[in-house]
Amino acid sequence: MVSAKDQDVVELLLDQHKQIKALFAEVKAADGDAKRTAFRQLVRLLAVHEAAEEQVVHPAARDAAGDAVIKARLHEEHDAKRVLSDLHDLGTEAADFDTRFAALERAVLQHATREEQEEFPALRRTIDPARLRRMAGAVKAAEAVAPTRPHPAAGESAIVNLVAGPPLALFDRARDAVSDWSRAARG
């Protein structure tokens, strides 16, 4: 096992893809509060993961994998943000949540597979290992200040994420704290 310090950006993102797959399974298997909690965790992970990829990974991979590959990933991410935002607003108890959630899962897992097959190998071929390790640190830093919910209207560019991301993240994290407090007070 690679230590977190020695982990490169591809290893970090592959680990996160595994976490995302596990959270999809957890949401599907749960109900009630457990389902809401697992879905909130999935929303948060997807939001910070995609924001960090848009800031750090996709710009670095554009030359290596090609503009068409990166444009396609950004389009997929935009679509997923829109659906994820709609599902978040809909709530896990809605009658059509499970059907729409299954479609999101298929799209997100196909997106992850395309990254793993097209983008990640290109990064490994063209970027030296030391830079890939530094990129892992940059992804972690970007995730620390990324919004915790999808904001499809904000777009998918690195510049938008750098400018709009921190204020949206503050708003999201404040909303998360109030929501957590409210749930604890009712509990």
Side-chain angles (χ1 to χ4, degrees), residues 1-9 11 129 132-133 136 140:
M1 176 127 200
V2 177
S3 73
K5 181 178 81 105
D6 295 328
Q7 191 176 45
D8 73 24
V9 70
E11 293 161 340
L132 289 174
R133 285 191 300 277
K140 290 174 188 175

Side-chain angles (χ1 to χ4, degrees), residues 10 13-14 17 21 53 57-58 61 64-66 69-70 73 76 108-125:
V10 173
L13 296 174
L14 289 171
H17 285 181
K21 289 173 189 173
E53 281 187 337
V57 181
H58 296 329
V69 168
I70 301 307
R73 297 304 75 81
E76 293 162 0
V108 168
L109 296 183
Q110 288 171 354
H111 169 79
T113 298
R114 288 183 191 110
E115 286 180 336
E116 293 170 9
Q117 292 175 348
E118 298 171 2
E119 194 170 352
F120 297 173
L123 287 170
R124 287 215 190 273
R125 273 193 315 274

Side-chain angles (χ1 to χ4, degrees), residues 139-173:
V139 163
K140 290 174 188 175
E143 289 175 343
V145 296
T148 61
R149 287 188 173 78
H151 295 277
E156 286 68 45
S157 79
I159 293 170
V160 168
N161 275 302
L162 286 169
V163 173
L168 289 171
L170 286 172
F171 178 75
D172 287 351
R173 290 164 203 266

Side-chain angles (χ1 to χ4, degrees), residues 90-108:
L90 185 66
T92 58
E93 299 300 322
D96 61 341
F97 177 87
D98 290 337
T99 302
R100 293 171 70 180
F101 183 78
L104 173 69
E105 178 183 26
R106 282 190 301 277
V108 168

